[in-house]
Amino acid sequence: MSSDLILVTGGGGFIGGHLVADLVRKGHRVRAVDLKPLDQWWQRFPEVESWSANLERIEECRRAVQGVAQVYNLAADMGGMGFIEHNKALCMLSVLINTHMLIAARDAGVQRFFYSSSACVYAADKQTDPNVTALKESDAYPAMPEDGYGWEKLFSERMCRHFWEDFKLETRVARYHNVYGPKGTWKGGREKAPAAVCRKVAQAKISGVHEIEIWGDGKQTRSFQYIDDCVYGTQLIMASEVREPINLGSDELVTINQLVDIAEEIAGVKLKRHYNLSAPKGVNGRNSDNTMIKAKLGWAPSTRLREGLEKTYRWIYDQIITDAPCPTY
């Protein structure tokens, strides 16, 4: 194809919006498509061809890929642990998006197709201990992923693999590990842990009620990747010759209690902690083994958690002040 047009699905979302912004800064022609109405997109750009469409429908996928050279497929119905544990069927239905996007991309002669997978594909029996051994790519099998969301991601990874094997569509797959940063969901039930913690700490500071609810016992461990590192790594993987799924995440492991510690330090407050042991908390431990991506692409995250969380906290604090002086959500 002679076209240099790049399609970003999920372009109105958090990661998609930042990816579109970076592609535009680099001078690329971009088309962005998202299910949300345009006025609900996190970021929009006048030079980007943007529209709202339901990519579960193959006819919309065919329209989206017309004249496109590369596809970054980031579209999915997803959220934080509270959302994915209570919406397993909705998460599974995202399989329609990737399946139809692959068919449409193949038929349109798209050169490269990137799929955003997740660390939720990893086997649950390897994530039972907070002192988790970092997860390497082979740990996805034998398969025992996160119910609902993780199964959809793992299935869609295999679909990408077979579209390369059978149709020679160049597919690339990254397993995202807990991406966070400004200009993303921070309230309403779909937010992830860093945004939720920043919101709760900011609300406590603003209200003067120095208390916070933590889901689980706070001892569960995670690694969190700042959005700028994710966007850079995503494009690096797309341009590479690495066809197998590959981790894209930080290997800086912290407990949720430590995450709250950092947010408190940034805010300059100390909060009384209440642990909701009946709330969704996910696996006990998850971390990214970055051996493969370091060896094959020379990539490592450049943003430490303290630095990235401060930027995220400042942005969320400003959103709260602007949206409601005394929020109750």
Side-chain angles (χ1 to χ4, degrees):
M1 293 178 63
S2 60
S3 171
D4 60 352
L5 181 61
I6 298 173
L7 169 65
V8 178
T9 71
F14 167 48
I15 301 175
H18 281 278
L19 177 60
V20 169
D22 195 59
L23 291 169
V24 167
R25 278 193 295 268
K26 292 174 178 175
H28 294 289
R29 294 175 56 229
V30 181
R31 175 182 296 156
V33 180
D34 199 285
L35 180 63
K36 294 185 291 295
L38 293 176
D39 62 359
Q40 295 179 22
W41 287 30
W42 283 108
Q43 299 185 68
R44 286 178 61 193
F45 307 90
E47 60 269 63
V48 172
E49 181 185 346
S50 303
W51 73 65
S52 176
N54 184 354
L55 296 176
E56 291 181 357
R57 300 172 182 169
I58 194 166
E59 63 272 17
E60 296 285 8
C61 295
R62 293 192 187 282
R63 185 165 75 100
V65 299
Q66 288 178 5
V68 166
Q70 297 185 9
V71 172
Y72 287 90
N73 184 22
L74 277 61
D77 199 351
M78 58 84 67
M81 187 52 58
F83 178 81
I84 66 176
E85 282 202 7
H86 293 117
N87 296 276
K88 295 183 176 67
L90 286 178
C91 291
M92 289 292 288
L93 284 172
S94 292
V95 74
L96 294 173
I97 298 174
N98 195 56
T99 301
H100 289 155
M101 283 300 306
L102 281 167
I103 293 170
R106 177 201 63 187
D107 294 349
V110 167
Q111 294 171 359
R112 292 207 171 197
F113 185 101
F114 174 91
Y115 176 64
S116 57
S117 186
S118 166
C120 288
V121 303
Y122 284 113
D125 62 358
K126 297 182 183 295
Q127 303 174 79
T128 58
D129 190 334
N131 299 310
V132 64
T133 300
L135 297 160
K136 55 185 182 296
E137 285 76 5
S138 59
D139 287 331
Y141 295 94
M144 197 192 306
E146 192 89 43
D147 199 10
Y149 182 71
W151 276 108
E152 186 277 321
K153 289 295 185 183
L154 194 62
F155 175 85
S156 292
E157 286 187 4
R158 302 295 288 192
M159 185 73 80
C160 288
R161 169 180 169 177
H162 297 316
F163 264 68
W164 156 248
E165 292 173 341
D166 292 359
F167 308 119
K168 297 302 179 249
L169 174 60
E170 287 283 359
T171 56
R172 302 291 182 267
V173 176
R175 290 176 180 162
Y176 288 163
H177 287 249
N178 291 314
V179 186
Y180 74 98
K183 299 182 181 178
T185 303
W186 57 276
K187 65 175 181 176
R190 289 181 182 253
E191 66 276 15
K192 294 193 174 183
V197 166
C198 287
R199 185 196 75 241
K200 290 177 180 180
V201 171
Q203 288 173 336
K205 181 179 178 67
I206 293 166
S207 69
V209 180
H210 289 178
E211 299 181 358
I212 185 172
E213 180 185 83
I214 297 173
W215 287 8
D217 60 10
K219 298 177 182 177
Q220 62 269 38
T221 54
R222 295 291 187 275
S223 62
F224 300 101
Q225 175 186 201
Y226 190 62
I227 183 62
D228 291 357
D229 290 324
C230 177
V231 166
Y232 178 79
T234 293
Q235 293 173 76
L236 193 65
I237 291 168
M238 175 65 118
S240 77
E241 297 308 310
V242 180
R243 293 195 181 100
E244 66 266 37
I246 190 167
N247 280 336
L248 187 62
S250 170
D251 51 9
E252 183 183 353
L253 188 70
V254 295
T255 67
I256 298 301
N257 279 327
Q258 289 171 329
L259 181 67
V260 176
D261 289 342
I262 297 170
E264 288 177 335
E265 179 187 332
I266 292 166
V269 295
K270 195 66 180 174
L271 309 179
K272 181 179 180 180
R273 301 181 184 189
H274 302 284
Y275 295 95
N276 185 348
L277 301 182
S278 63
K281 71 181 188 68
V283 297
N284 288 326
R286 177 178 293 156
N287 195 13
S288 179
D289 184 323
N290 290 340
T291 303
M292 180 184 290
I293 196 167
K294 287 177 182 176
K296 296 200 171 195
L297 301 179
W299 180 91
S302 61
T303 309
R304 300 292 294 176
L305 180 58
R306 175 64 170 75
E307 176 189 354
L309 201 67
E310 180 162 9
K311 294 177 182 178
T312 306
Y313 175 84
R314 301 299 179 201
W315 182 81
I316 290 175
Y317 183 93
D318 289 344
Q319 302 310 300
I320 294 172
I321 293 295
T322 302
D323 186 69
C326 300
T328 59
Y329 45 80

mmCIF file of all heavy atoms in Angstrom, residues 281-302:
data_model
loop_
_atom_site.group_PDB
_atom_site.id
_atom_site.type_symbol
_atom_site.label_atom_id
_atom_site.label_comp_id
_atom_site.label_asym_id
_atom_site.label_seq_id
_atom_site.Cartn_x
_atom_site.Cartn_y
_atom_site.Cartn_z
ATOM 1 N N LYS A 281 -9.911 -7.424 44.528
ATOM 2 C CA LYS A 281 -8.500 -7.049 44.677
ATOM 3 C C LYS A 281 -7.589 -7.738 43.665
ATOM 4 O O LYS A 281 -6.406 -7.436 43.577
ATOM 5 C CB LYS A 281 -8.005 -7.366 46.088
ATOM 6 C CG LYS A 281 -7.830 -8.838 46.410
ATOM 7 C CD LYS A 281 -7.348 -9.020 47.839
ATOM 8 C CE LYS A 281 -6.982 -10.468 48.141
ATOM 9 N NZ LYS A 281 -5.777 -10.913 47.404
ATOM 10 N N GLY A 282 -8.135 -8.662 42.869
ATOM 11 C CA GLY A 282 -7.330 -9.332 41.865
ATOM 12 C C GLY A 282 -6.366 -10.328 42.476
ATOM 13 O O GLY A 282 -6.535 -10.773 43.611
ATOM 14 N N VAL A 283 -5.342 -10.679 41.717
ATOM 15 C CA VAL A 283 -4.353 -11.654 42.173
ATOM 16 C C VAL A 283 -3.500 -11.054 43.283
ATOM 17 O O VAL A 283 -3.438 -9.838 43.457
ATOM 18 C CB VAL A 283 -3.457 -12.122 41.009
ATOM 19 C CG1 VAL A 283 -4.290 -12.838 39.948
ATOM 20 C CG2 VAL A 283 -2.709 -10.947 40.382
ATOM 21 N N ASN A 284 -2.820 -11.917 44.031
ATOM 22 C CA ASN A 284 -2.002 -11.448 45.158
ATOM 23 C C ASN A 284 -0.719 -10.759 44.712
ATOM 24 O O ASN A 284 -0.212 -9.879 45.417
ATOM 25 C CB ASN A 284 -1.676 -12.617 46.082
ATOM 26 C CG ASN A 284 -2.871 -13.076 46.882
ATOM 27 O OD1 ASN A 284 -3.716 -12.279 47.264
ATOM 28 N ND2 ASN A 284 -2.965 -14.381 47.124
ATOM 29 N N GLY A 285 -0.183 -11.169 43.565
ATOM 30 C CA GLY A 285 1.064 -10.565 43.110
ATOM 31 C C GLY A 285 1.209 -10.640 41.604
ATOM 32 O O GLY A 285 0.881 -11.667 40.990
ATOM 33 N N ARG A 286 1.696 -9.543 40.986
ATOM 34 C CA ARG A 286 1.935 -9.535 39.536
ATOM 35 C C ARG A 286 3.042 -8.549 39.233
ATOM 36 O O ARG A 286 3.021 -7.407 39.693
ATOM 37 C CB ARG A 286 0.669 -9.157 38.776
ATOM 38 C CG ARG A 286 0.868 -9.064 37.260
ATOM 39 C CD ARG A 286 -0.437 -8.720 36.555
ATOM 40 N NE ARG A 286 -1.397 -9.798 36.666
ATOM 41 C CZ ARG A 286 -2.719 -9.628 36.565
ATOM 42 N NH1 ARG A 286 -3.224 -8.418 36.402
ATOM 43 N NH2 ARG A 286 -3.533 -10.656 36.655
ATOM 44 N N ASN A 287 4.020 -8.996 38.449
ATOM 45 C CA ASN A 287 5.133 -8.141 38.049
ATOM 46 C C ASN A 287 5.583 -8.539 36.653
ATOM 47 O O ASN A 287 5.368 -9.685 36.221
ATOM 48 C CB ASN A 287 6.291 -8.259 39.043
ATOM 49 C CG ASN A 287 7.319 -7.145 38.897
ATOM 50 O OD1 ASN A 287 7.069 -6.149 38.233
ATOM 51 N ND2 ASN A 287 8.474 -7.317 39.515
ATOM 52 N N SER A 288 6.210 -7.628 35.957
ATOM 53 C CA SER A 288 6.629 -7.862 34.575
ATOM 54 C C SER A 288 8.095 -8.284 34.511
ATOM 55 O O SER A 288 8.974 -7.587 35.021
ATOM 56 C CB SER A 288 6.432 -6.584 33.743
ATOM 57 O OG SER A 288 6.849 -6.772 32.414
ATOM 58 N N ASP A 289 8.349 -9.414 33.875
ATOM 59 C CA ASP A 289 9.716 -9.818 33.541
ATOM 60 C C ASP A 289 10.057 -9.188 32.194
ATOM 61 O O ASP A 289 9.466 -9.531 31.168
ATOM 62 C CB ASP A 289 9.807 -11.345 33.469
ATOM 63 C CG ASP A 289 11.232 -11.849 33.231
ATOM 64 O OD1 ASP A 289 11.975 -11.194 32.463
ATOM 65 O OD2 ASP A 289 11.600 -12.889 33.798
ATOM 66 N N ASN A 290 10.987 -8.267 32.174
ATOM 67 C CA ASN A 290 11.318 -7.515 30.963
ATOM 68 C C ASN A 290 12.544 -8.051 30.231
ATOM 69 O O ASN A 290 13.116 -7.365 29.381
ATOM 70 C CB ASN A 290 11.534 -6.040 31.306
ATOM 71 C CG ASN A 290 10.245 -5.344 31.686
ATOM 72 O OD1 ASN A 290 9.152 -5.816 31.353
ATOM 73 N ND2 ASN A 290 10.336 -4.236 32.392
ATOM 74 N N THR A 291 12.933 -9.281 30.542
ATOM 75 C CA THR A 291 14.131 -9.863 29.921
ATOM 76 C C THR A 291 14.021 -9.886 28.405
ATOM 77 O O THR A 291 14.959 -9.510 27.690
ATOM 78 C CB THR A 291 14.359 -11.290 30.455
ATOM 79 O OG1 THR A 291 14.477 -11.260 31.874
ATOM 80 C CG2 THR A 291 15.628 -11.880 29.855
ATOM 81 N N MET A 292 12.875 -10.327 27.894
ATOM 82 C CA MET A 292 12.728 -10.470 26.446
ATOM 83 C C MET A 292 12.774 -9.121 25.735
ATOM 84 O O MET A 292 13.483 -8.961 24.727
ATOM 85 C CB MET A 292 11.431 -11.194 26.084
ATOM 86 C CG MET A 292 11.236 -11.365 24.579
ATOM 87 S SD MET A 292 9.653 -12.114 24.089
ATOM 88 C CE MET A 292 9.916 -13.801 24.659
ATOM 89 N N ILE A 293 12.038 -8.140 26.227
ATOM 90 C CA ILE A 293 11.987 -6.858 25.529
ATOM 91 C C ILE A 293 13.324 -6.119 25.629
ATOM 92 O O ILE A 293 13.729 -5.412 24.704
ATOM 93 C CB ILE A 293 10.818 -5.997 26.042
ATOM 94 C CG1 ILE A 293 10.533 -4.867 25.050
ATOM 95 C CG2 ILE A 293 11.056 -5.472 27.455
ATOM 96 C CD1 ILE A 293 9.229 -4.145 25.294
ATOM 97 N N LYS A 294 14.037 -6.308 26.737
ATOM 98 C CA LYS A 294 15.376 -5.720 26.838
ATOM 99 C C LYS A 294 16.320 -6.349 25.829
ATOM 100 O O LYS A 294 17.102 -5.661 25.161
ATOM 101 C CB LYS A 294 15.925 -5.898 28.251
ATOM 102 C CG LYS A 294 15.276 -5.007 29.300
ATOM 103 C CD LYS A 294 15.828 -5.295 30.689
ATOM 104 C CE LYS A 294 15.157 -4.443 31.745
ATOM 105 N NZ LYS A 294 15.621 -4.790 33.119
ATOM 106 N N ALA A 295 16.251 -7.680 25.708
ATOM 107 C CA ALA A 295 17.163 -8.398 24.808
ATOM 108 C C ALA A 295 16.846 -8.117 23.342
ATOM 109 O O ALA A 295 17.753 -7.915 22.531
ATOM 110 C CB ALA A 295 17.089 -9.896 25.088
ATOM 111 N N LYS A 296 15.564 -8.092 22.990
ATOM 112 C CA LYS A 296 15.187 -7.991 21.579
ATOM 113 C C LYS A 296 15.076 -6.553 21.091
ATOM 114 O O LYS A 296 15.369 -6.271 19.926
ATOM 115 C CB LYS A 296 13.863 -8.720 21.341
ATOM 116 C CG LYS A 296 13.964 -10.214 21.592
ATOM 117 C CD LYS A 296 12.832 -10.979 20.917
ATOM 118 C CE LYS A 296 13.105 -12.477 21.019
ATOM 119 N NZ LYS A 296 12.272 -13.256 20.098
ATOM 120 N N LEU A 297 14.669 -5.641 21.976
ATOM 121 C CA LEU A 297 14.411 -4.267 21.542
ATOM 122 C C LEU A 297 15.190 -3.220 22.329
ATOM 123 O O LEU A 297 15.117 -2.038 22.012
ATOM 124 C CB LEU A 297 12.910 -3.966 21.639
ATOM 125 C CG LEU A 297 11.988 -4.884 20.811
ATOM 126 C CD1 LEU A 297 10.530 -4.501 21.021
ATOM 127 C CD2 LEU A 297 12.362 -4.829 19.348
ATOM 128 N N GLY A 298 15.907 -3.644 23.360
ATOM 129 C CA GLY A 298 16.680 -2.696 24.158
ATOM 130 C C GLY A 298 15.819 -1.729 24.942
ATOM 131 O O GLY A 298 16.266 -0.639 25.302
ATOM 132 N N TRP A 299 14.575 -2.134 25.227
ATOM 133 C CA TRP A 299 13.634 -1.238 25.907
ATOM 134 C C TRP A 299 13.598 -1.494 27.401
ATOM 135 O O TRP A 299 13.646 -2.642 27.858
ATOM 136 C CB TRP A 299 12.230 -1.426 25.351
ATOM 137 C CG TRP A 299 11.178 -0.542 25.980
ATOM 138 C CD1 TRP A 299 10.788 0.691 25.553
ATOM 139 C CD2 TRP A 299 10.394 -0.824 27.148
ATOM 140 N NE1 TRP A 299 9.799 1.193 26.377
ATOM 141 C CE2 TRP A 299 9.542 0.282 27.372
ATOM 142 C CE3 TRP A 299 10.340 -1.896 28.037
ATOM 143 C CZ2 TRP A 299 8.641 0.341 28.426
ATOM 144 C CZ3 TRP A 299 9.451 -1.843 29.096
ATOM 145 C CH2 TRP A 299 8.609 -0.740 29.280
ATOM 146 N N ALA A 300 13.506 -0.429 28.164
ATOM 147 C CA ALA A 300 13.236 -0.498 29.594
ATOM 148 C C ALA A 300 12.493 0.776 29.954
ATOM 149 O O ALA A 300 12.744 1.846 29.379
ATOM 150 C CB ALA A 300 14.517 -0.623 30.411
ATOM 151 N N PRO A 301 11.561 0.716 30.907
ATOM 152 C CA PRO A 301 10.837 1.931 31.280
ATOM 153 C C PRO A 301 11.775 2.971 31.876
ATOM 154 O O PRO A 301 12.704 2.631 32.610
ATOM 155 C CB PRO A 301 9.813 1.433 32.313
ATOM 156 C CG PRO A 301 10.379 0.158 32.833
ATOM 157 C CD PRO A 301 11.140 -0.449 31.708
ATOM 158 N N SER A 302 11.522 4.234 31.569
ATOM 159 C CA SER A 302 12.410 5.308 32.016
ATOM 160 C C SER A 302 11.818 6.128 33.160
ATOM 161 O O SER A 302 12.523 6.961 33.739
ATOM 162 C CB SER A 302 12.730 6.240 30.841
ATOM 163 O OG SER A 302 11.545 6.830 30.343
#
